Amino acid sequence: MKEVHYFYAPHGSNELPEDEAKHALRVLRLTDGSEMVVVDGEGLLHHAVVVTQGKKCFFEIRETLPQQPTWHGHLHLAVAPTKNIDRTEWLVEKATEIGFDSLTLLDCDFSERHHVNIERLGRILISAMKQSHKAFLPRLEGPVKLKDFLQRHMTAERFIAHCYNEPELTPEGRPFLFDALKDPQADAVVMIGPEGDFSANEVRQALQVGYRSVSLGESRLRTETAALAAVHIMNIHHRTTTCNF
Amino acid sequence: MKEVHYFYAPHGSNELPEDEAKHALRVLRLTDGSEMVVVDGEGLLHHAVVVTQGKKCFFEIRETLPQQPTWHGHLHLAVAPTKNIDRTEWLVEKATEIGFDSLTLLDCDFSERHHVNIERLGRILISAMKQSHKAFLPRLEGPVKLKDFLQRHMTAERFIAHCYNEPELTPEGRPFLFDALKDPQADAVVMIGPEGDFSANEVRQALQVGYRSVSLGESRLRTETAALAAVHIMNIHHRTTTCNF
């Protein structure tokens, strides 16, 4: 059974973006009438056929299948990008495969990286979305200063994962994220710090605006591993089904 | 606070292996009397000091702290190595950070890779163990033919993750691994197939010897992502504590 290729085109468009078109026509050698799947990143999956116009690749929709996320609520990861950007790039790929809604890159007191190539990360998000056959494209932003992120109004259950044990920074202890998550339908935000962790002052500020201290388990995890673990824990806790059929 | 460096020396030895010694003396420039932590891969963590002898690095133990795993039971992952070995290498690093006990590389009907550099993977295991401050080194073996692996006598809860929906291959459906795991203290084994999945015949053989079909969630995951998800799910389900203090 030949697999139909997945492509991304922004919601409402009937033309593939330039790099997608190049991949379709030059790499995969699709021609007029070739079958394709186009996802719009906002939940719509179209079965379509190719309509070329020179180097441009339009598509004619045959059938549209609205998709549902396989988890409840809006799952938001906020993480300081790693010094070695490769590690952040694989996090972006893996988190998208697992499934979540938003990624905010944070600029923290101990951040070792203050700039990222956001376009490149965006391309990795798109390719991971297509590769894992999803129709939802996670939102991506940043780097955002932590204090600005903390000032945002959010109704979500909010958590900050850190390694401090001081009572002042862990008024309710530091429960395991999976146990700290309450409503499996609620929105959730988890913040992960840089290699050097958040500063005590940053944790203090987060607690003041309603974040809760959590742990991601007993293991000492690298930043990107901790971030993927957080996404996976939110995804498991908020999953919509427990059986594939 | 300066961090004391972690090194690995096999259980019972008072000398660092050659590559560890090279790292200690040439890279970190440790000298006689330098403090170090040595883990033996079998649960012992030694606070020790360096004793050099030419290019050799011995250590004198000051204090030994037996460690306990942070999960119950023996967690065993069996996975077909990926065509692109880099993906298997990061799996080895991440799974070790998260925490598990055994990794068997499988040779399956649809495997795209039949040979691996097991020494190289072993070095990655050791460095991930040290990096995550663990004293337990996961066992590593393979590639092992699937039919030989299936013939092993195991008392563990055994699972095979695959994408088939045929009733014959899913007599109990295909529950989510987290829900299929019963006793949080029991040993567990999860098998993950190659990029092309297990063959129907392989799934049949596994079911015949007592494996149960499971899913790793609704998402379509790459082999290495599925394998890490399986390790993380076992680790969460079998965790010994739910709070870091």
Side-chain angles (χ1 to χ4, degrees):
Chain A
M1 177 191 100
K2 96 175 204 309
E3 189 168 313
V4 179
H5 293 284
Y6 275 60
F7 297 91
Y8 165 70
H11 181 73
S13 165
N14 70 334
E15 179 185 356
L16 296 186
E18 192 178 344
D19 49 349
E20 293 280 298
K22 196 175 293 180
H23 184 66
L25 304 183
R26 294 216 205 140
V27 181
L28 300 173
R29 305 253 174 226
L30 299 187
T31 53
D32 287 311
S34 300
E35 288 180 24
M36 66 199 309
V37 168
V38 181
V39 291
D40 74 348
E42 297 182 25
L44 294 186
L45 183 153
H46 308 295
H47 286 283
V49 294
V50 172
V51 179
T52 62
Q53 202 177 101
K55 286 180 176 177
K56 294 186 167 200
C57 183
F58 294 85
F59 55 91
E60 204 172 272
I61 297 172
R62 292 277 188 253
E63 185 186 17
T64 294
L65 304 173
Q67 305 294 299
Q68 291 303 321
T70 59
W71 59 92
H72 295 292
H74 185 92
L75 306 184
H76 192 156
L77 172 70
V79 58
T82 50
K83 185 175 180 182
N84 170 355
I85 197 64
D86 296 354
R87 295 183 169 275
T88 297
E89 291 182 354
W90 89 238
L91 164 64
V92 166
E93 174 185 297
K94 297 312 175 196
T96 304
E97 277 184 64
I98 294 289
F100 74 127
D101 299 287
S102 285
L103 173 61
T104 299
L105 298 173
L106 295 175
D107 192 3
C108 303
D109 290 349
F110 300 155
S111 283
E112 301 200 49
R113 166 180 293 276
H114 303 284
H115 302 288
V116 296
N117 181 338
I118 206 79
E119 289 68 27
R120 180 176 162 87
L121 290 180
R123 286 193 295 273
I124 294 172
L125 275 177
I126 289 173
S127 107
M129 169 184 67
K130 295 186 300 178
Q131 204 279 335
S132 59
H133 290 187
K134 289 185 170 58
F136 293 93
L137 184 65
R139 294 180 211 154
L140 172 66
E141 64 170 352
V144 174
K145 290 225 173 296
L146 179 68
K147 68 167 177 19
D148 297 333
F149 187 72
L150 291 179
Q151 275 159 18
R152 293 186 187 174
H153 172 71
M154 293 187 190
T155 55
E157 292 184 11
R158 291 165 294 166
F159 304 96
I160 178 168
H162 61 76
C163 300
Y164 294 93
N165 289 336
E166 289 76 358
E168 178 214 2
L169 303 181
T170 53
E172 311 165 10
R174 195 146 51 79
F176 183 53
L177 174 61
F178 191 83
D179 304 314
L181 283 161
K182 288 184 181 131
D183 179 358
Q185 313 249 345
D187 297 343
V189 184
V190 178
M191 296 196 302
I192 308 287
E195 279 87 343
D197 204 349
F198 290 106
S199 67
N201 192 38
E202 288 174 324
V203 176
R204 213 170 283 122
Q205 291 168 356
L207 296 179
Q208 277 160 12
V209 296
Y211 280 78
R212 296 164 56 204
S213 294
V214 289
S215 121
L216 294 167
E218 295 294 303
S219 294
R220 180 174 184 268
L221 304 175
R222 290 173 182 270
T223 288
E224 75 279 7
T225 317
L228 184 62
V231 167
H232 193 218
I233 288 169
M234 289 192 285
N235 184 281
I236 292 171
H237 191 274
H238 283 51
R239 69 189 182 279
T240 52
T241 64
T242 59
C243 188
N244 274 25
F245 52 88
Chain B
M1 176 192 100
K2 96 176 202 308
E3 190 166 315
V4 179
H5 293 284
Y6 274 60
F7 297 91
Y8 165 71
H11 181 73
S13 165
N14 70 334
E15 179 185 356
L16 295 187
E18 192 178 345
D19 48 348
E20 293 281 297
K22 197 175 292 180
H23 184 65
L25 304 183
R26 294 214 205 144
V27 181
L28 300 173
R29 305 253 175 227
L30 300 187
T31 54
D32 287 312
S34 300
E35 287 181 23
M36 67 200 307
V37 168
V38 181
V39 290
D40 74 347
E42 297 182 25
L44 294 185
L45 183 152
H46 308 296
H47 286 284
V49 294
V50 172
V51 179
T52 61
Q53 203 177 97
K55 287 181 177 176
K56 294 186 168 199
C57 182
F58 295 86
F59 55 91
E60 206 172 272
I61 297 172
R62 292 278 190 253
E63 184 186 16
T64 295
L65 304 172
Q67 306 293 299
Q68 292 302 322
T70 58
W71 58 91
H72 295 292
H74 185 91
L75 306 185
H76 191 157
L77 172 70
V79 59
T82 51
K83 185 175 180 182
N84 170 353
I85 196 64
D86 296 355
R87 295 182 170 275
T88 297
E89 291 181 355
W90 90 238
L91 164 65
V92 165
E93 174 185 296
K94 297 312 176 196
T96 303
E97 278 183 64
I98 295 288
F100 75 127
D101 298 288
S102 283
L103 173 60
T104 299
L105 297 173
L106 296 175
D107 191 2
C108 303
D109 290 348
F110 301 154
S111 284
E112 302 200 49
R113 166 180 293 276
H114 303 284
H115 303 287
V116 296
N117 181 337
I118 205 80
E119 289 69 28
R120 179 175 163 86
L121 289 180
R123 287 194 294 275
I124 294 171
L125 275 177
I126 289 173
S127 107
M129 169 184 66
K130 294 186 300 178
Q131 204 278 337
S132 59
H133 290 187
K134 289 184 170 59
F136 293 92
L137 184 65
R139 295 180 212 155
L140 172 66
E141 64 169 351
V144 173
K145 290 225 170 299
L146 180 67
K147 69 169 176 18
D148 296 333
F149 187 72
L150 291 179
Q151 275 159 20
R152 294 185 186 175
H153 172 70
M154 294 185 188
T155 56
E157 291 185 10
R158 290 164 294 166
F159 305 95
I160 178 169
H162 62 76
C163 299
Y164 294 94
N165 288 336
E166 290 76 357
E168 178 215 3
L169 303 180
T170 55
E172 310 163 12
R174 195 147 50 80
F176 184 52
L177 174 61
F178 191 85
D179 303 313
L181 284 161
K182 288 183 183 133
D183 179 359
Q185 313 250 345
D187 298 342
V189 184
V190 178
M191 297 197 301
I192 307 288
E195 280 86 343
D197 204 350
F198 290 107
S199 67
N201 192 40
E202 288 174 324
V203 176
R204 213 170 282 121
Q205 291 167 359
L207 297 179
Q208 277 160 11
V209 297
Y211 280 77
R212 296 165 56 206
S213 295
V214 289
S215 115
L216 294 167
E218 296 293 302
S219 294
R220 180 173 183 269
L221 304 175
R222 290 174 181 270
T223 289
E224 74 280 7
T225 317
L228 185 63
V231 166
H232 194 219
I233 288 169
M234 289 192 286
N235 185 283
I236 292 171
H237 191 274
H238 282 51
R239 67 190 184 280
T240 53
T241 64
T242 59
C243 187
N244 275 24
F245 53 88

